[in-house]
C-alpha cells in the first residue's frame, strides 16, 4: 500500500472510446500530478493540481482532460486517443507543490489504445 | 526545460558486485532525489538530497549531491537479486520534478 491508489491497473480501449483513470490519496497531500511513462523515456509531467487548482498543463493534447474535485481525488478523462498514447500513466502526490520531501507515486494504469 | 542525463541506460551485473550510476543536468537543482521502480509498480523514493556536497546513505545505497549542484550519483554496494529494477534520478529546479530516463539494473545470481 503506497498511499496513492490508482484504478484501473490495466485498461485497453479503442480509439473512439471514452474512459477515465482515477487516483486517490489519503495522505493529506495538497498537490497531485499526472505523469506519462513511455518505454525508455523520462517521465513526462502532464498536469499539476495544487489545492485543487490546476497550476500546470504541460502542452498536453485536449484528448486528455484532468479533473480534481477535491484534494484527495484526481481523474484523467480520455477520449479519442491514439495508439501512441499507450503508456503507463502514473499519479503522484506531495505535501504541497514544493517537493522537498519527494512525491508518493501510485502503481500506475497501464493503458493500451487499439 | 531542464534536461537530465542519466547513465548508464542499463547495467547487467553479477550478484555481489557494486553498482554506480549518475545524473547530470544543464541547470542547477535545489534538490536531487533517487527513485526505484519495480516491474508493474510506481517509483518509490530511495534517497533525497538537499544540499550541495551532501552524502547520504540508506542501507547499501549511497547518494551524493554534486558540489556544482548539476549532478548526483547513486551507488549500490554488494548487489542482491531484489535490486533489479529501474532507478530514476529526479531533480527539482524550482517547482515540480524533472526525471532522468532511468537506469535498468539486472542482477544475475
Amino acid at each position: 500500500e503506497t498511499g496513492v491508489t490508482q484504478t484501473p491497473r490495466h485498461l485497453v480501449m479503442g480509439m473512439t472510446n471514452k474512459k477515465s483513470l482515477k487516483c486517490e490519496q489519503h495522505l493529506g497531500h495538497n498537490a497531485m500530478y499526472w505523469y506519462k511513462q513511455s518505454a525508455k523515456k523520462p517521465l513526462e509531467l502532464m498536469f499539476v493540481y495544487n489545492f485543487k487548482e490546476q497550476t500546470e498543463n504541460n502542452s498536453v493534447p485536449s484528448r486528455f482532460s484532468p479533473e480534481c474535485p477535491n484534494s484527495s481525488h484526481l481523474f484523467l478523462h480520455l477520449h479519442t486517443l491514439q495508439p501512441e498514447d499507450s503508456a503507463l500513466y502514473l499519479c503522484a502526490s506531495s505535501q504541497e507543490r514544493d517537493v522537498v520531501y519527494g512525491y508518493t507515486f501510485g502503481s500506475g494504469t497501464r493503458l493500451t489504445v487499439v | 526545460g531542464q534536461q537530465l542525463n542519466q547513465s548508464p541506460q542499463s547495467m547487467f551485473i553479477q550478484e555481489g558486485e557494486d553498482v554506480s550510476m549518475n545524473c547530470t543536468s544543464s541547470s542547477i537543482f535545489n534538490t536531487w532525489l533517487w527513485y526505484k521502480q519495480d516491474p508493474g509498480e510506481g517509483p518509490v523514493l530511495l534517497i533525497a538530497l538537499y544540499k550541495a556536497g551532501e552524502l547520504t546513505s540508506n542501507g547499501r545505497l549511497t547518494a551524493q549531491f554534486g558540489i556544482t549542484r548539476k549532478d548526483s550519483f547513486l551507488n549500490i554496494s554488494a548487489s542482491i537479486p531484489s535490486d533489479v529494477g529501474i532507478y530514476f534520478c529526479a531533480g527539482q529546479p524550482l517547482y515540480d520534478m524533472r526525471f532522468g530516463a532511468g537506469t535498468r539494473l539486472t542482477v544475475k545470481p
Side-chain angles (χ1 to χ4, degrees):
Chain A
E1 175 57 55
T2 65
V4 177
T5 303
Q6 288 188 244
T7 54
R9 291 295 305 269
H10 301 273
L11 177 63
V12 179
M13 60 185 289
M15 289 189 283
T16 59
N17 291 161
K18 288 186 181 181
K19 297 286 184 183
S20 296
L21 309 185
K22 179 182 177 182
C23 177
E24 184 173 355
Q25 59 91 8
H26 296 288
L27 300 169
H29 289 171
N30 295 304
M32 297 186 77
Y33 312 80
W34 280 116
Y35 277 87
K36 176 184 179 183
Q37 185 176 29
S38 304
K40 299 183 180 179
K41 292 175 66 175
L43 274 70
E44 301 173 53
L45 179 63
M46 300 176 72
F47 301 104
V48 180
Y49 277 83
N50 197 35
F51 291 94
K52 301 188 298 180
E53 297 296 321
Q54 184 175 318
T55 56
E56 185 159 339
N57 174 342
N58 209 24
S59 302
V60 180
S62 60
R63 57 186 184 270
F64 295 91
S65 174
E67 178 190 2
C68 188
N70 54 61
S71 292
S72 299
H73 294 85
L74 185 65
F75 295 89
L76 187 62
H77 303 301
L78 317 171
H79 65 97
T80 59
L81 294 192
Q82 304 298 312
E84 61 264 29
D85 296 323
S86 299
L88 181 69
Y89 288 84
L90 290 163
C91 173
S93 70
S94 64
Q95 186 62 46
E96 290 182 18
R97 197 176 172 191
D98 182 340
V99 296
V100 172
Y101 298 107
Y103 293 173
T104 301
F105 282 89
S107 297
T109 294
R110 172 70 62 188
L111 174 67
T112 303
V113 181
V114 297
Chain B
Q2 293 86 358
Q3 293 273 40
L4 287 186
N5 296 306
Q6 186 172 350
S7 64
Q9 286 189 2
S10 60
M11 302 183 74
F12 296 83
I13 63 169
Q14 205 70 39
E15 182 177 359
E17 291 183 356
D18 296 342
V19 172
S20 185
M21 58 192 79
N22 69 80
C23 225
T24 59
S25 166
S26 55
S27 307
I28 289 174
F29 279 3
N30 295 318
T31 305
W32 281 96
L33 306 104
W34 286 91
Y35 285 84
K36 182 193 177 193
Q37 185 175 26
D38 291 325
E41 299 296 329
V44 174
L45 182 65
L46 297 175
I47 292 179
L49 302 157
Y50 304 112
K51 286 172 31 177
E54 180 179 355
L55 184 72
T56 297
S57 293
N58 178 5
R60 294 178 294 106
L61 278 61
T62 302
Q64 184 159 30
F65 192 143
I67 290 291
T68 64
R69 297 168 65 192
K70 292 184 177 181
D71 64 314
S72 177
F73 72 76
L74 174 71
N75 287 342
I76 305 173
S77 62
S79 58
I80 60 178
S82 62
D83 290 334
V84 164
I86 304 175
Y87 291 79
F88 293 96
C89 62
Q92 177 204 359
L94 183 61
Y95 292 119
D96 307 326
M97 276 196 290
R98 299 290 180 260
F99 285 85
T103 295
R104 184 178 294 274
L105 179 64
T106 302
V107 180
K108 293 178 285 188

